[in-house]
């Protein structure tokens, strides 16, 4: 796992946007896996700027989001469909029919999960998956205890996750208790993975994910099994990494050898 430690959240956003833009530039029909939450918003802002400056077009891009709350309709202001429309899709030239987010308000949840997997497969799989990380180590809504081979399915949210996300709702009671999420098995099939984390509240989760044992108790630790994962963190989120200096030296070495830009 490549660990990139940058000074602040703005640099993390810039790095992520550049990686995504480079993926689209080299393959206009890229299939991107996208994430919601506070962390990726800065990267989405940068991508919108690149689009406005006519340096990037999303017209042939297909997207799949990681997850959606169960019980919220797509037009609910706290739904992830609403979040993506507001924070990215309506500002760029992506075709809305090419953007996919699980539907959390359907009667047949199992069919919705199976269909989502099938749609990812029909699109040719995910070229690049963007991830955040929960304070409990989750990726998508794969909470601690999730199978490391799981597919898109319904997961019950931990109380920690519900508290973390209560800021998007008027009260904790309104936060849904479950969600549809891509599984860790689905995520690990992405050709490349980019996990972003900023702020000191993510330092424990990042340490456990990167330097701890591979365990269902820290779902993000499954990324240790993936051969093309980049973890991009600011100094605050990197603060508890034992091998901090080594990661910094590895980046310098990679640049010296011309292996990374
Ligand atoms: P955050 O959420 O970006 O809002 O911190 C991350 C996550 O829960 O995966």
């Amino acid at each position: 796992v490549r660990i990139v430690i940058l000074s602040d959240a703005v640099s993390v956003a810039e790095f992520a946007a550049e990686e995504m833009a480079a993926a689209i530039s080299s393959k206009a029909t890229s299939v991107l896996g996208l994430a919601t939450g506070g962390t990726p918003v800065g990267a989405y802002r940068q991508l919108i700027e690149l689009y406005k400056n006519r340096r990037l077009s999303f017209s042939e891009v297909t997207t799949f989001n990681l997850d959606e709350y169960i019980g919220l309709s797509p037009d609910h202001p706290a739904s992830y469909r609403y979040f993506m429309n507001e924070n990215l899709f309506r500002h760029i030239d992506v075709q809305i029919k090419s953007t996919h987010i699980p539907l959390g308000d359907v009667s047949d949840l199992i069919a919705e999960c199976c269909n989502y997997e099938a749609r990812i497969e029909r699109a040719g799989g995910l070229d690049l998956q963007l991830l955040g990380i929960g304070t409990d180590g989750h990726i998508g809504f794969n909470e601690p205890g999730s199978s490391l081979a799981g597919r898109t399915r319904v997961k019950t949210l931990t109380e920690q996750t519900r508290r973390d996300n209560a800021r998007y709702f008027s009260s904790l009671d309104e936060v849904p208790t479950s969600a549809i999420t891509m599984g860790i098995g689905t995520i690990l099939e992405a050709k490349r993975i980019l996990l972003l984390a900023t702020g000191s509240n993510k330092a424990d989760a990042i340490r456990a994910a990167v330097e701890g044992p591979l365990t269902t108790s820290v779902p993000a630790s499954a990324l240790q099994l993936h051969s093309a994962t980049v973890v991009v963190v600011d100094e605050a989120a990197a603060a508890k990494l034992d091998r901090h200096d080594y990661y910094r030296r590895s980046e310098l070495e990679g640049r010296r050898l011309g292996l990374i830009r």
Side-chain angles (χ1 to χ4, degrees):
V1 178
R2 179 181 166 199
I3 316 291
V4 180
I5 302 170
L6 301 171
S7 54
D8 52 26
V10 174
S11 310
V12 170
E14 280 168 1
F15 186 100
E18 273 171 33
E19 284 289 315
M20 293 167 79
I24 298 168
S25 299
S26 68
K27 182 183 172 192
T29 57
S30 282
V31 181
L32 301 181
L34 299 178
T36 51
T39 313
V41 170
Y44 294 155
R45 266 194 218 120
Q46 299 276 346
L47 285 173
I48 293 165
E49 282 309 305
L50 291 175
Y51 165 71
K52 284 189 178 153
N53 298 335
R54 297 179 196 278
R55 287 174 49 210
L56 196 60
S57 170
F58 297 80
S59 61
E60 294 177 75
V61 167
T62 301
T63 69
F64 287 91
N65 265 76
L66 286 164
D67 43 22
E68 179 62 282
Y69 290 115
I70 288 177
L72 300 193
S73 64
D75 58 0
H76 188 291
S79 76
Y80 285 166
R81 165 54 75 180
Y82 191 94
F83 177 101
M84 289 308 300
N85 287 346
E86 287 305 304
N87 286 289
L88 184 63
F89 298 153
R90 73 183 182 85
H91 305 283
I92 58 174
D93 64 345
V94 70
Q95 298 185 59
I96 285 295
K97 69 173 169 50
S98 302
T99 68
H100 305 275
I101 301 180
L103 291 171
D105 64 344
V106 292
S107 54
D108 192 342
L109 293 166
I110 293 174
E112 175 62 11
C113 294
C114 291
N115 288 339
Y116 203 67
E117 285 281 329
R119 272 180 250 149
I120 295 172
E121 202 177 318
R122 268 202 304 278
L126 303 161
D127 289 308
L128 178 62
Q129 175 68 54
L130 188 66
L131 296 176
I133 184 170
T135 55
D136 64 358
H138 72 206
I139 47 176
F141 274 132
N142 294 285
E143 301 286 29
S146 293
S147 162
L148 302 184
R151 312 304 306 189
T152 302
R153 70 214 180 293
V154 173
K155 281 301 293 186
T156 303
L157 304 182
T158 61
E159 284 308 299
Q160 167 90 49
T161 293
R162 293 185 67 245
R163 279 194 301 274
D164 285 349
N165 290 0
R167 65 190 192 278
Y168 296 105
F169 296 82
S170 39
S171 72
L172 181 59
D173 284 349
E174 284 182 32
V175 183
T177 46
S178 50
I180 292 181
T181 181
M182 275 187 207
I184 295 173
T186 320
I187 293 169
L188 290 179
E189 280 174 14
K191 292 183 191 76
R192 293 199 297 138
I193 295 174
L194 196 56
L195 181 142
L196 313 180
T198 57
S200 55
N201 62 328
K202 298 295 173 70
D204 287 319
I206 284 294
R207 175 161 197 257
V210 171
E211 295 181 339
L214 175 65
T215 168
T216 55
S217 297
V218 182
S221 68
L223 299 176
Q224 295 173 22
L225 293 171
H226 192 268
S227 62
T229 287
V230 183
V231 172
V232 190
V233 287
D234 67 358
E235 283 289 1
K240 295 192 176 168
L241 291 171
D242 281 339
R243 294 189 287 266
H244 183 285
D245 294 345
Y246 175 77
Y247 304 133
R248 281 229 179 249
R249 281 206 299 116
S250 296
E251 285 297 295
L252 292 173
E253 193 70 354
R255 236 169 267 135
R256 187 178 73 80
L257 297 172
L259 302 173
I260 52 174
R261 65 184 163 73

